[in-house]
Amino acid sequence: MQTEHLIINDIVKDRPKIERAAALILAGELVGIPTETVYGLGANGLDADAAGRIFDVKGRPRDNPLIIHLAQMNDLDRYCINIPEAARILADRFWPGPMTLILERSELIPDIVTAGLSTVAVRFPDHPVARELIRIAKVPIAAPSANLSGKPSPTRAVHVINDLAGRIAAVLDAGPSRVGVESTIIDVSGKTARILRPGGITPQQIEEAIGSAELDTALFRPLGASEKPLAPGMKYRHYAPRAKVVIVRGEPGNVRDYVNEQPDRSAAVLCFSGEENLYTGKRTLAYGSETDYESLGENLFAALRELDCEDISVIYARCPRPEGVGIAVANRLLKAAGHEVVEV
Ligand code: TXA
Ligand code: MG
């Protein structure tokens, strides 16, 4: 299959390309779609066969449910039932945006999309191209991140092409994703709201909106052998480049000394801006300044993928403090590192 590369420079002039993508989706095909968080691998969320193909193409285990993407608030009541007040408040406050809500599903959603769960993940993305596509298709679009399972999520169309060219019908290319880490997932189907995955909407923002939200503590440590995460997807190795990732924590001087002492000739350092010259004899790549959590989030996955294109065996990484969007960045980096952290 030849993957069509549909470049959107102007949402009005390039509308025929969005219509083409919508037609492909309605024909049961898979299309890479831009969102403000990461690129998604979209299919008609009401078509069980098309949604099933997402799992095959990504190599995704079938017990890992998909997010459905909507383009208008009214649709929430079509696909979800028993929607609690807290969900309405969060939806009003943060949609369209980088937030996914877990709610009880209606029977319109095929089993394969929710991996047989009684709940469904829903998101109303804040990307003009994604919204236009969903509006034209007039169906909810089921979409996980458009990477091969286990790899860093794609934040540019070229990442989708590198992972999936030849296996999907098209990619809608609208440039780099603004947020760069996946949406915050909040389970509002039970009595208390729980954050299953940190993302672009921070725990503090959620607390300000609805009073309280529990952050799943398992997000920042390795899972025990018999432990089940709240979001099924969080149990899988994820966000990992081919190179081994090691987080090095400590004062910048100590980190520098530790990294410079490591003999690996093919090592790289994923560092903060301004630190590039601290490291001798190693490839350095800055992904943002230490406290600019938004820019660290925007660049993290692209940086991991860039290093993966080179012949690098180990990536020593600086990890931000777990504050604001830094919480999401730290969570992704810990997963990419398989929780391998050196304290110096
Ligand atoms: O920003 C995002 O959320 C991106 C863009 C494309 O929207 N999508 C994304 O999807 O990150 P994915 O499939 O890579 O991650 C979805 C996560 C998985 O960890 C999955 O297990 C969890 O959401 N999930 C989906 N349905 C769920 C449910 N009913 N209950 C608990 N977790 C659920
Ligand atoms: Mg994913």
Side-chain angles (χ1 to χ4, degrees):
M1 175 188 297
Q2 178 86 19
T3 301
E4 293 174 40
H5 189 175
L6 306 168
I7 300 173
I8 310 297
N9 292 311
D10 181 312
I11 195 158
V12 179
K13 287 201 197 112
D14 293 322
R15 189 182 156 95
K17 296 182 189 169
I18 306 178
E19 287 169 350
R20 168 73 183 149
L24 288 167
I25 290 215
L26 290 173
E29 301 285 350
L30 307 188
V31 177
I33 58 174
T35 87
E36 79 280 26
T37 57
V38 301
Y39 273 73
L41 178 58
N44 178 351
L46 302 179
D47 176 342
D49 291 337
R53 227 165 291 134
I54 288 178
F55 294 87
D56 300 337
V57 160
K58 274 188 62 117
R60 182 180 177 101
R62 295 214 174 214
D63 68 352
N64 190 3
L66 307 175
I67 297 174
I68 60 162
H69 296 72
L70 310 177
Q72 52 182 38
M73 224 42 127
N74 295 345
D75 284 345
L76 192 60
D77 292 276
R78 278 176 70 79
Y79 304 115
C80 305
I81 56 169
N82 299 329
I83 300 170
E85 184 57 18
R88 304 264 181 211
I89 295 170
L90 290 169
D92 282 341
R93 183 77 69 96
F94 300 117
W95 277 348
M99 175 185 77
T100 295
L101 295 178
I102 307 291
L103 287 157
E104 277 182 63
R105 64 186 267 206
S106 80
E107 72 279 13
L108 292 175
I109 304 294
D111 277 342
I112 189 148
V113 169
T114 67
L117 298 175
S118 59
T119 52
V120 62
V122 251
R123 180 159 107 79
F124 180 168
D126 183 24
H127 192 292
V129 174
R131 291 171 66 178
E132 195 61 14
L133 174 70
I134 303 165
R135 274 196 294 261
I136 295 171
K138 296 194 175 65
V139 292
I141 293 190
S145 48
N147 51 285
L148 287 174
S149 239
K151 292 270 161 221
S153 296
T155 53
R156 287 149 211 229
V158 65
H159 300 159
V160 181
I161 292 167
N162 287 344
D163 277 15
L164 303 175
R167 303 200 217 181
I168 61 178
V171 180
L172 268 175
D173 181 350
S177 297
R178 173 172 58 79
V179 179
V181 287
E182 306 85 345
S183 60
T184 304
I185 302 180
I186 313 168
D187 186 345
V188 278
S189 67
K191 283 204 180 64
T192 49
R194 286 200 291 197
I195 301 171
L196 308 190
R197 181 176 72 182
I201 302 294
T202 66
Q204 196 182 347
Q205 287 177 293
I206 297 163
E207 271 178 31
E208 278 163 16
I210 56 169
S212 73
E214 260 173 53
L215 191 62
D216 181 6
T217 54
L219 290 168
F220 302 96
R221 58 173 172 78
L223 278 183
S226 61
E227 222 177 341
K228 251 177 85 179
L230 298 169
M234 299 303 266
K235 72 171 168 283
Y236 294 107
R237 182 178 151 86
H238 214 157
Y239 315 121
R242 275 180 300 138
K244 171 180 152 108
V245 179
V246 178
I247 294 173
V248 188
R249 264 201 198 123
E251 290 301 316
N254 295 347
V255 174
R256 175 202 58 207
D257 292 345
Y258 174 83
V259 170
N260 286 346
E261 278 160 20
Q262 301 308 306
D264 332 78
R265 263 177 289 138
S266 58
V269 191
L270 181 64
C271 62
F272 298 134
S273 307
E275 297 180 345
E276 296 92 330
N277 296 328
L278 292 180
Y279 305 97
T280 48
K282 292 192 173 63
R283 158 86 159 107
T284 54
L285 180 60
Y287 68 118
S289 66
E290 182 161 9
T291 53
D292 184 354
Y293 304 126
E294 277 74 18
S295 79
L296 293 171
E298 188 181 340
N299 298 321
L300 174 67
F301 290 139
L304 290 174
R305 280 178 177 263
E306 183 177 335
L307 292 174
D308 234 7
C309 293
E310 302 168 22
D311 212 8
I312 281 163
S313 56
V314 191
I315 300 170
Y316 294 104
R318 295 273 275 134
C319 183
R321 294 165 61 81
E323 292 170 354
V325 176
I327 298 173
V329 177
N331 166 259
R332 304 308 191 273
L333 209 44
L334 277 162
K335 293 208 72 173
H339 293 273
E340 187 162 342
V341 181
V342 178
E343 305 273 354
V344 292

